[in-house]
mmCIF file of all heavy atoms in Angstrom:
data_model
loop_
_atom_site.group_PDB
_atom_site.id
_atom_site.type_symbol
_atom_site.label_atom_id
_atom_site.label_comp_id
_atom_site.label_asym_id
_atom_site.label_seq_id
_atom_site.Cartn_x
_atom_site.Cartn_y
_atom_site.Cartn_z
ATOM 1 N N ARG M 1 7.069 30.810 -8.629
ATOM 2 C CA ARG M 1 8.380 31.448 -8.698
ATOM 3 C C ARG M 1 8.893 31.860 -7.320
ATOM 4 O O ARG M 1 9.962 32.462 -7.207
ATOM 5 C CB ARG M 1 8.318 32.665 -9.610
ATOM 6 C CG ARG M 1 8.066 32.308 -11.079
ATOM 7 C CD ARG M 1 8.211 33.509 -11.961
ATOM 8 N NE ARG M 1 8.046 33.191 -13.376
ATOM 9 C CZ ARG M 1 8.189 34.058 -14.366
ATOM 10 N NH1 ARG M 1 8.514 35.325 -14.086
ATOM 11 N NH2 ARG M 1 8.012 33.687 -15.622
ATOM 12 N N LEU M 2 8.106 31.532 -6.303
ATOM 13 C CA LEU M 2 8.545 31.818 -4.946
ATOM 14 C C LEU M 2 9.760 30.964 -4.594
ATOM 15 O O LEU M 2 9.996 29.906 -5.185
ATOM 16 C CB LEU M 2 7.418 31.543 -3.942
ATOM 17 C CG LEU M 2 6.177 32.430 -4.029
ATOM 18 C CD1 LEU M 2 5.100 31.922 -3.082
ATOM 19 C CD2 LEU M 2 6.523 33.888 -3.701
ATOM 20 N N GLY M 3 10.529 31.394 -3.588
ATOM 21 C CA GLY M 3 11.646 30.590 -3.123
ATOM 22 C C GLY M 3 11.171 29.293 -2.488
ATOM 23 O O GLY M 3 9.992 29.137 -2.157
ATOM 24 N N TRP M 4 12.111 28.373 -2.316
ATOM 25 C CA TRP M 4 11.745 27.049 -1.804
ATOM 26 C C TRP M 4 11.117 27.123 -0.417
ATOM 27 O O TRP M 4 10.168 26.380 -0.120
ATOM 28 C CB TRP M 4 12.976 26.144 -1.769
ATOM 29 C CG TRP M 4 13.499 25.775 -3.118
ATOM 30 C CD1 TRP M 4 14.629 26.244 -3.716
ATOM 31 C CD2 TRP M 4 12.894 24.882 -4.041
ATOM 32 N NE1 TRP M 4 14.781 25.698 -4.961
ATOM 33 C CE2 TRP M 4 13.713 24.842 -5.185
ATOM 34 C CE3 TRP M 4 11.737 24.103 -4.030
ATOM 35 C CZ2 TRP M 4 13.443 24.064 -6.293
ATOM 36 C CZ3 TRP M 4 11.448 23.317 -5.131
ATOM 37 C CH2 TRP M 4 12.291 23.304 -6.249
ATOM 38 N N TYR M 5 11.603 27.978 0.441
ATOM 39 C CA TYR M 5 11.072 28.065 1.801
ATOM 40 C C TYR M 5 9.629 28.554 1.801
ATOM 41 O O TYR M 5 8.775 27.977 2.487
ATOM 42 C CB TYR M 5 11.950 28.987 2.655
ATOM 43 C CG TYR M 5 11.693 28.858 4.136
ATOM 44 C CD1 TYR M 5 12.312 27.863 4.894
ATOM 45 C CD2 TYR M 5 10.832 29.729 4.798
ATOM 46 C CE1 TYR M 5 12.077 27.741 6.255
ATOM 47 C CE2 TYR M 5 10.604 29.615 6.154
ATOM 48 C CZ TYR M 5 11.222 28.616 6.879
ATOM 49 O OH TYR M 5 10.982 28.488 8.237
ATOM 50 N N ARG M 6 9.349 29.620 1.040
ATOM 51 C CA ARG M 6 7.991 30.142 0.970
ATOM 52 C C ARG M 6 7.051 29.172 0.263
ATOM 53 O O ARG M 6 5.891 29.018 0.645
ATOM 54 C CB ARG M 6 7.985 31.504 0.275
ATOM 55 C CG ARG M 6 8.677 32.603 1.071
ATOM 56 C CD ARG M 6 8.626 33.931 0.351
ATOM 57 N NE ARG M 6 7.265 34.425 0.232
ATOM 58 C CZ ARG M 6 6.930 35.534 -0.452
ATOM 59 N NH1 ARG M 6 7.880 36.234 -1.086
ATOM 60 N NH2 ARG M 6 5.669 35.921 -0.529
ATOM 61 N N ARG M 7 7.573 28.498 -0.755
ATOM 62 C CA ARG M 7 6.738 27.538 -1.490
ATOM 63 C C ARG M 7 6.329 26.354 -0.598
ATOM 64 O O ARG M 7 5.204 25.876 -0.644
ATOM 65 C CB ARG M 7 7.501 27.013 -2.711
ATOM 66 C CG ARG M 7 6.584 26.324 -3.726
ATOM 67 C CD ARG M 7 7.348 25.649 -4.820
ATOM 68 N NE ARG M 7 8.281 26.522 -5.534
ATOM 69 C CZ ARG M 7 8.895 26.161 -6.659
ATOM 70 N NH1 ARG M 7 8.706 24.937 -7.162
ATOM 71 N NH2 ARG M 7 9.709 27.000 -7.254
ATOM 72 N N SER M 8 7.268 25.899 0.229
ATOM 73 C CA SER M 8 6.966 24.762 1.107
ATOM 74 C C SER M 8 6.018 25.140 2.237
ATOM 75 O O SER M 8 5.477 24.268 2.908
ATOM 76 C CB SER M 8 8.260 24.198 1.695
ATOM 77 O OG SER M 8 8.883 25.136 2.539
ATOM 78 N N GLY M 9 5.815 26.449 2.442
ATOM 79 C CA GLY M 9 4.875 26.908 3.457
ATOM 80 C C GLY M 9 3.475 27.144 2.941
ATOM 81 O O GLY M 9 2.580 27.469 3.719
ATOM 82 N N MET M 10 3.260 26.975 1.623
ATOM 83 C CA MET M 10 1.928 27.133 1.050
ATOM 84 C C MET M 10 1.026 26.005 1.553
ATOM 85 O O MET M 10 1.485 24.896 1.839
ATOM 86 C CB MET M 10 2.014 27.137 -0.467
ATOM 87 C CG MET M 10 2.832 28.314 -1.019
ATOM 88 S SD MET M 10 3.179 28.225 -2.797
ATOM 89 C CE MET M 10 1.560 28.616 -3.462
ATOM 90 N N TYR M 11 -0.262 26.305 1.702
ATOM 91 C CA TYR M 11 -1.152 25.366 2.378
ATOM 92 C C TYR M 11 -1.245 24.012 1.660
ATOM 93 O O TYR M 11 -1.481 22.987 2.289
ATOM 94 C CB TYR M 11 -2.537 25.981 2.564
ATOM 95 C CG TYR M 11 -3.347 26.171 1.306
ATOM 96 C CD1 TYR M 11 -4.256 25.218 0.887
ATOM 97 C CD2 TYR M 11 -3.222 27.332 0.549
ATOM 98 C CE1 TYR M 11 -5.015 25.396 -0.264
ATOM 99 C CE2 TYR M 11 -3.962 27.514 -0.607
ATOM 100 C CZ TYR M 11 -4.857 26.544 -1.003
ATOM 101 O OH TYR M 11 -5.602 26.725 -2.147
ATOM 102 N N VAL M 12 -1.054 23.977 0.332
ATOM 103 C CA VAL M 12 -1.097 22.704 -0.387
ATOM 104 C C VAL M 12 0.046 21.791 0.079
ATOM 105 O O VAL M 12 -0.161 20.620 0.381
ATOM 106 C CB VAL M 12 -1.014 22.926 -1.909
ATOM 107 C CG1 VAL M 12 -0.849 21.584 -2.639
ATOM 108 C CG2 VAL M 12 -2.252 23.651 -2.417
ATOM 109 N N ALA M 13 1.247 22.343 0.124
ATOM 110 C CA ALA M 13 2.397 21.565 0.590
ATOM 111 C C ALA M 13 2.241 21.165 2.052
ATOM 112 O O ALA M 13 2.591 20.051 2.445
ATOM 113 C CB ALA M 13 3.684 22.368 0.386
ATOM 114 N N ASN M 14 1.686 22.074 2.883
ATOM 115 C CA ASN M 14 1.482 21.776 4.298
ATOM 116 C C ASN M 14 0.524 20.608 4.506
ATOM 117 O O ASN M 14 0.758 19.743 5.354
ATOM 118 C CB ASN M 14 0.939 23.003 5.026
ATOM 119 C CG ASN M 14 2.046 23.914 5.507
ATOM 120 O OD1 ASN M 14 3.107 23.455 5.898
ATOM 121 N ND2 ASN M 14 1.808 25.204 5.495
ATOM 122 N N PHE M 15 -0.566 20.601 3.758
ATOM 123 C CA PHE M 15 -1.553 19.543 3.903
ATOM 124 C C PHE M 15 -1.082 18.227 3.294
ATOM 125 O O PHE M 15 -1.311 17.160 3.856
ATOM 126 C CB PHE M 15 -2.883 19.961 3.283
ATOM 127 C CG PHE M 15 -3.750 20.754 4.214
ATOM 128 C CD1 PHE M 15 -3.618 22.123 4.306
ATOM 129 C CD2 PHE M 15 -4.700 20.123 5.013
ATOM 130 C CE1 PHE M 15 -4.394 22.862 5.171
ATOM 131 C CE2 PHE M 15 -5.487 20.856 5.884
ATOM 132 C CZ PHE M 15 -5.328 22.238 5.972
ATOM 133 N N ALA M 16 -0.445 18.307 2.120
ATOM 134 C CA ALA M 16 -0.001 17.079 1.445
ATOM 135 C C ALA M 16 1.152 16.410 2.191
ATOM 136 O O ALA M 16 1.204 15.186 2.300
ATOM 137 C CB ALA M 16 0.403 17.396 0.009
ATOM 138 N N LEU M 17 2.085 17.225 2.682
ATOM 139 C CA LEU M 17 3.207 16.706 3.455
ATOM 140 C C LEU M 17 2.972 17.003 4.938
ATOM 141 O O LEU M 17 3.761 17.660 5.612
ATOM 142 C CB LEU M 17 4.517 17.332 2.971
ATOM 143 C CG LEU M 17 4.944 16.959 1.551
ATOM 144 C CD1 LEU M 17 6.074 17.857 1.063
ATOM 145 C CD2 LEU M 17 5.373 15.494 1.491
ATOM 146 N N ASN M 18 1.870 16.482 5.457
ATOM 147 C CA ASN M 18 1.483 16.746 6.837
ATOM 148 C C ASN M 18 2.249 15.840 7.800
ATOM 149 O O ASN M 18 2.958 14.919 7.378
ATOM 150 C CB ASN M 18 -0.034 16.581 7.002
ATOM 151 C CG ASN M 18 -0.498 15.185 6.620
ATOM 152 O OD1 ASN M 18 0.030 14.180 7.094
ATOM 153 N ND2 ASN M 18 -1.499 15.112 5.757
ATOM 154 N N PRO M 19 2.119 16.056 9.126
ATOM 155 C CA PRO M 19 2.862 15.229 10.087
ATOM 156 C C PRO M 19 2.617 13.732 9.948
ATOM 157 O O PRO M 19 3.523 12.922 10.164
ATOM 158 C CB PRO M 19 2.370 15.755 11.442
ATOM 159 C CG PRO M 19 1.959 17.165 11.170
ATOM 160 C CD PRO M 19 1.419 17.166 9.782
ATOM 161 N N GLN M 20 1.386 13.349 9.588
ATOM 162 C CA GLN M 20 1.070 11.934 9.444
ATOM 163 C C GLN M 20 1.808 11.324 8.253
ATOM 164 O O GLN M 20 2.338 10.201 8.343
ATOM 165 C CB GLN M 20 -0.447 11.735 9.264
ATOM 166 C CG GLN M 20 -1.255 11.987 10.527
ATOM 167 C CD GLN M 20 -1.338 13.465 10.899
ATOM 168 O OE1 GLN M 20 -1.407 14.335 10.013
ATOM 169 N NE2 GLN M 20 -1.294 13.762 12.188
ATOM 170 N N ILE M 21 1.859 12.049 7.128
ATOM 171 C CA ILE M 21 2.575 11.571 5.950
ATOM 172 C C ILE M 21 4.072 11.500 6.214
ATOM 173 O O ILE M 21 4.735 10.505 5.897
ATOM 174 C CB ILE M 21 2.286 12.467 4.727
ATOM 175 C CG1 ILE M 21 0.827 12.299 4.278
ATOM 176 C CG2 ILE M 21 3.229 12.144 3.575
ATOM 177 C CD1 ILE M 21 0.492 10.910 3.769
ATOM 178 N N LEU M 22 4.633 12.549 6.808
ATOM 179 C CA LEU M 22 6.057 12.556 7.113
ATOM 180 C C LEU M 22 6.412 11.491 8.150
ATOM 181 O O LEU M 22 7.519 10.952 8.142
ATOM 182 C CB LEU M 22 6.484 13.935 7.623
ATOM 183 C CG LEU M 22 6.400 15.092 6.623
ATOM 184 C CD1 LEU M 22 6.746 16.411 7.303
ATOM 185 C CD2 LEU M 22 7.316 14.860 5.433
ATOM 186 N N GLY M 23 5.474 11.210 9.042
ATOM 187 C CA GLY M 23 5.722 10.218 10.080
ATOM 188 C C GLY M 23 5.466 8.783 9.653
ATOM 189 O O GLY M 23 5.708 7.848 10.425
ATOM 190 N N ARG M 24 4.987 8.605 8.408
ATOM 191 C CA ARG M 24 4.675 7.277 7.914
ATOM 192 C C ARG M 24 5.947 6.554 7.471
ATOM 193 O O ARG M 24 6.751 7.078 6.708
ATOM 194 C CB ARG M 24 3.689 7.363 6.746
ATOM 195 C CG ARG M 24 3.170 6.027 6.259
ATOM 196 C CD ARG M 24 2.176 6.217 5.137
ATOM 197 N NE ARG M 24 0.972 6.908 5.586
ATOM 198 C CZ ARG M 24 -0.029 7.252 4.771
ATOM 199 N NH1 ARG M 24 0.054 6.986 3.466
ATOM 200 N NH2 ARG M 24 -1.094 7.857 5.257
ATOM 201 N N LYS M 25 6.135 5.353 7.954
ATOM 202 C CA LYS M 25 7.302 4.546 7.583
ATOM 203 C C LYS M 25 7.077 3.926 6.215
ATOM 204 O O LYS M 25 6.034 3.365 5.928
ATOM 205 C CB LYS M 25 7.534 3.451 8.619
ATOM 206 C CG LYS M 25 8.775 2.604 8.377
ATOM 207 C CD LYS M 25 8.941 1.578 9.477
ATOM 208 C CE LYS M 25 10.185 0.721 9.239
ATOM 209 N NZ LYS M 25 10.349 -0.299 10.316
ATOM 210 N N THR M 26 8.061 4.057 5.336
ATOM 211 C CA THR M 26 8.002 3.448 4.014
ATOM 212 C C THR M 26 9.166 2.481 3.847
ATOM 213 O O THR M 26 10.029 2.368 4.722
ATOM 214 C CB THR M 26 8.063 4.521 2.917
ATOM 215 O OG1 THR M 26 9.375 5.128 2.923
ATOM 216 C CG2 THR M 26 7.018 5.605 3.150
ATOM 217 N N LYS M 27 9.197 1.813 2.719
ATOM 218 C CA LYS M 27 10.298 0.887 2.447
ATOM 219 C C LYS M 27 11.637 1.618 2.311
ATOM 220 O O LYS M 27 12.686 1.076 2.628
ATOM 221 C CB LYS M 27 10.007 0.101 1.162
ATOM 222 C CG LYS M 27 8.847 -0.873 1.276
ATOM 223 C CD LYS M 27 8.649 -1.638 -0.011
ATOM 224 C CE LYS M 27 7.487 -2.617 0.108
ATOM 225 N NZ LYS M 27 7.260 -3.372 -1.169
ATOM 226 N N GLY M 28 11.540 2.850 1.852
ATOM 227 C CA GLY M 28 12.773 3.587 1.606
ATOM 228 C C GLY M 28 13.317 4.363 2.785
ATOM 229 O O GLY M 28 14.492 4.724 2.806
ATOM 230 N N ARG M 29 12.479 4.638 3.796
ATOM 231 C CA ARG M 29 12.926 5.463 4.908
ATOM 232 C C ARG M 29 12.059 5.252 6.131
ATOM 233 O O ARG M 29 10.919 4.791 6.020
ATOM 234 C CB ARG M 29 12.895 6.943 4.515
ATOM 235 C CG ARG M 29 11.514 7.436 4.161
ATOM 236 C CD ARG M 29 11.420 8.932 4.117
ATOM 237 N NE ARG M 29 10.132 9.417 3.683
ATOM 238 C CZ ARG M 29 9.017 9.440 4.420
ATOM 239 N NH1 ARG M 29 9.057 8.975 5.666
ATOM 240 N NH2 ARG M 29 7.888 9.922 3.947
ATOM 241 N N PRO M 30 12.561 5.618 7.331
ATOM 242 C CA PRO M 30 11.720 5.596 8.531
ATOM 243 C C PRO M 30 10.816 6.818 8.555
ATOM 244 O O PRO M 30 11.013 7.773 7.801
ATOM 245 C CB PRO M 30 12.748 5.654 9.667
ATOM 246 C CG PRO M 30 13.906 6.409 9.077
ATOM 247 C CD PRO M 30 13.955 6.004 7.629
#
């Protein structure tokens, strides 16, 4: 029930959406 900003700062979201994942090029986006 936390706000979106606090929820995205939880360690699960941080690890799952880490710099390597965000930096990975996919078919849908750079």
Side-chain angles (χ1 to χ4, degrees):
R1 293 188 177 183
L2 294 173
W4 292 107
Y5 195 84
R6 293 181 65 185
R7 196 188 305 190
S8 65
M10 297 171 73
Y11 70 94
V12 172
N14 273 325
F15 275 87
L17 294 168
N18 59 52
Q20 288 72 36
I21 291 295
L22 294 175
R24 187 178 295 177
K25 184 178 180 180
T26 68
K27 292 182 180 179
R29 61 165 176 76

